[in-house]
Amino acid sequence: MSRRYGLYEPRNTRDFLTYFGRIIAHHDAGQAEFLVPGIEAREIPPTVPDDQCFPLHRMPDFAAVRWGPNGELDRSQFRDPRRGS
């Protein structure tokens, strides 16, 4: 089983964020934190079955984001704030 990272909200709920009761998950913590600023990505315990997770790249809010065949994020579609463009 590969690692899964869930979106975790440490300030208010102190729990993983869910979509229709399933933990919003992604295979790369850095990508998840890049897409959802202010939210931590924490490893989901291996005791949580895969069917209790919902892939981040299938979230309706990210329908306009270009994803690779394995759910990899194409960062070229985002503006680099350090360069001002």
Side-chain angles (χ1 to χ4, degrees), residues 5-59:
Y5 298 92
L7 299 180
Y8 186 85
E9 204 293 310
R11 291 177 300 266
N12 298 318
T13 63
R14 294 184 184 91
D15 204 355
F16 287 108
L17 300 180
T18 62
Y19 182 73
F20 286 99
R22 296 167 63 193
I23 297 172
I24 301 169
H26 194 57
H27 63 277
D28 185 300
Q31 288 181 4
E33 290 176 350
F34 173 79
L35 287 169
V36 188
I39 298 294
E40 288 181 34
R42 290 194 179 175
E43 189 168 358
I44 297 171
T47 55
V48 176
D50 284 337
D51 65 352
Q52 292 299 311
C53 296
F54 191 87
L56 177 66
H57 68 274
R58 297 202 188 272
M59 293 285 299

